[in-house]
Amino acid sequence: NTPPRAAGAKLLKRNLSDIAAMGGTPRHALVHLLLARNTATKWLEEFYRGLAQCCKRHGVTLAGGGIAQGPDGVFAADLFLLGEAGPKPLARSGARLGDILYVTGKLGGSILGKHLSFTPRLAEGRWLARQNGVRGMIDVSDGLAKDLPEILPDGTDAKLSIALLPTAKAARQLARRDGHSALEHALTDGEDYELLLAYAAKKDPAGFEKRWKKAFKTPLNRIGQIAPALEKKHSRQLRDGRGQLLLSRQAHGYEHLR
């Protein structure tokens, strides 16, 4: 049910978000297609128009790719994106005990439209990579509950302030429909494509927040801090201010290979 132009744009944007999470600049894309014999040419043309418009908007060259025939009823597209690193590429592994955790924008309920309409945080990512106190970053694509543990060091947990978690209006709308809490949606829905980062507590976080507000309209939300793990066998957990687990160990964001 997705409009073909929106599908083409998303194919690029979801990759742009990964480049943004390292503070990089996107450059060249390769697209590989698996097409059924009965693929509608008009649909494919619109798909490519959406992809081309998104490439133009973000300065990406569509440099080539490949094509293959698949079974009837099958359409698959895969995009490889090459980016250029800035002076300090941000990895997921730089976060340390005591770092303050921030996330851009709002979380949850992306299926109501944001999963297609999101804007990759490229400018924000490049700016963050230039800030001395930013030590680790990732984009929130699989859900905060899945992506946040990816940047936590061994032997630590994320101590989150629930009142500060930026829950989207769409998450609250879904909560009224399905009985799950808005918090659960914010933690597990995924496809938010916001930036999650760790900032050194000794590097003047108040000044960092002030500089951000001067540079961007996009909200930057302080959501918690990296703290010592409460359980030796199970670290990298998400906990509230009282140390309670926010989700059971069976509840998490999207797992591609589960």
Side-chain angles (χ1 to χ4, degrees), residues 232-251:
K232 292 182 179 180
K233 293 183 179 180
H234 300 285
S235 64
R236 297 181 178 178
Q237 301 291 323
L238 275 60
R239 300 182 180 275
D240 63 17
R242 298 174 299 172
Q244 300 298 310
L245 285 173
L246 290 177
L247 297 167
S248 70
R249 293 195 179 94
Q250 289 72 40

Side-chain angles (χ1 to χ4, degrees), residues 93-222:
S93 57
R96 296 291 181 266
L97 178 66
D99 284 358
I100 297 173
L101 297 167
Y102 292 91
V103 69
T104 64
K106 295 185 177 182
L107 306 174
S110 60
I111 193 63
L112 296 186
K114 187 182 178 182
H115 70 301
L116 295 175
S117 64
F118 70 94
T119 299
R121 304 298 189 189
L122 286 162
E124 292 90 338
R126 286 191 289 268
W127 186 90
L128 288 166
R130 296 194 298 268
Q131 307 306 305
N132 191 33
V134 178
R135 301 208 279 200
M137 190 156 64
I138 190 174
D139 72 323
V140 183
S141 56
D142 296 330
L144 191 72
K146 170 69 166 56
D147 294 323
L148 177 49
E150 297 290 337
I151 69 170
L152 296 178
D154 287 336
T156 67
D157 288 338
K159 187 177 180 181
L160 301 182
S161 301
I162 303 306
L164 300 180
L165 203 67
T167 304
K169 181 180 179 180
R172 297 191 292 274
Q173 290 176 332
L174 283 181
R176 290 192 291 269
R177 295 182 191 178
D178 62 18
H180 295 285
S181 68
L183 174 62
E184 186 175 345
H185 280 293
L187 291 173
T188 65
D189 282 357
E191 293 218 87
D192 300 298
Y193 297 104
E194 298 293 350
L195 296 179
L196 169 68
L197 59 124
Y199 187 87
K202 296 180 180 180
K203 295 289 186 179
D204 185 22
F208 166 65
E209 293 169 18
K210 189 175 180 179
R211 294 193 302 275
W212 172 275
K213 287 181 179 179
K214 287 183 177 180
F216 300 104
K217 293 182 180 179
T218 304
L220 180 68
N221 311 282
R222 185 192 293 210

